[in-house]
Amino acid sequence: MVDIPAPIIHYIVNFLLETRSLAYLLVNKDGYLVAWGGKLVEFGITNLRKGENIGEQVFFLEGLLPLDDIPLFLPLIKTEYGICADIHIFPSDEGDWVLLLDSTWNEKQLSLIQQITNDCSLLREKLTKIPNQ
């Protein structure tokens, strides 16, 4: 593992906690919810029941768990509440962790870049038509 000084690790953790809503779920290998925490309500996840099947409680996880010991990253997933989330699913000895990080800012930046690219394409198209007129 890379030797990272403690102040840098603390800065990164604090930065993530301050700038991106974070929520997590722990699901055992049989698909049952073990633990959860963070700002789940912001992602539209409520009324969780410990010991019950996670796919019946959090529908987007249906068919994704259990993991085969290979982490899974799903970027920019839009929730029904309009929140855009980066979803990290990774295995551990306790079960599979599902980490949700708010990525609304990234989505807005990507959308802005896409709009600028579209505008440039339209302008280029107009400019190529001018000599023909």
Side-chain angles (χ1 to χ4, degrees):
M1 187 167 130
V2 178
D3 185 27
I4 300 173
I8 292 174
I9 292 171
H10 292 295
Y11 172 82
I12 291 170
V13 169
N14 287 331
F15 177 78
L16 281 173
L17 292 174
E18 289 172 10
T19 60
R20 299 181 78 182
S21 293
L22 176 145
Y24 65 88
L25 305 164
L26 176 59
V27 180
N28 69 19
K29 290 297 185 177
D30 293 327
Y32 297 104
L33 183 61
V34 176
W36 62 88
K39 299 180 179 180
L40 286 163
V41 173
E42 292 187 18
F43 297 98
I45 301 172
T46 58
N47 302 321
L48 294 173
R49 296 170 307 282
K50 187 175 184 175
E52 293 191 25
N53 185 287
I54 193 63
E56 295 172 7
Q57 298 182 71
V58 182
F59 299 112
F60 71 82
L61 291 175
E62 183 68 38
L64 293 176
L65 299 173
L67 290 177
D68 292 326
D69 296 327
I70 299 171
L72 180 62
F73 173 56
L74 305 169
L76 301 169
I77 302 298
K78 188 80 116 179
T79 70
E80 62 186 75
Y81 286 85
I83 298 290
C84 196
D86 287 340
I87 301 172
H88 300 260
I89 306 174
F90 56 95
S92 74
D93 292 337
E94 300 91 355
D96 294 330
W97 289 94
V98 179
L99 174 64
L100 297 101
L101 293 170
D102 183 337
S103 60
T104 303
W105 186 86
N106 297 27
E107 177 194 32
K108 288 179 182 175
Q109 290 302 110
L110 189 59
S111 184
L112 178 63
I113 291 168
Q114 188 174 20
Q115 184 59 50
I116 290 169
T117 302
N118 291 342
D119 291 346
C120 287
S121 293
L122 288 172
L123 184 58
R124 186 178 311 116
E125 193 176 303
K126 287 179 183 180
L127 288 174
T128 57
K129 289 180 181 180
I130 290 175
N132 297 334
Q133 292 179 356

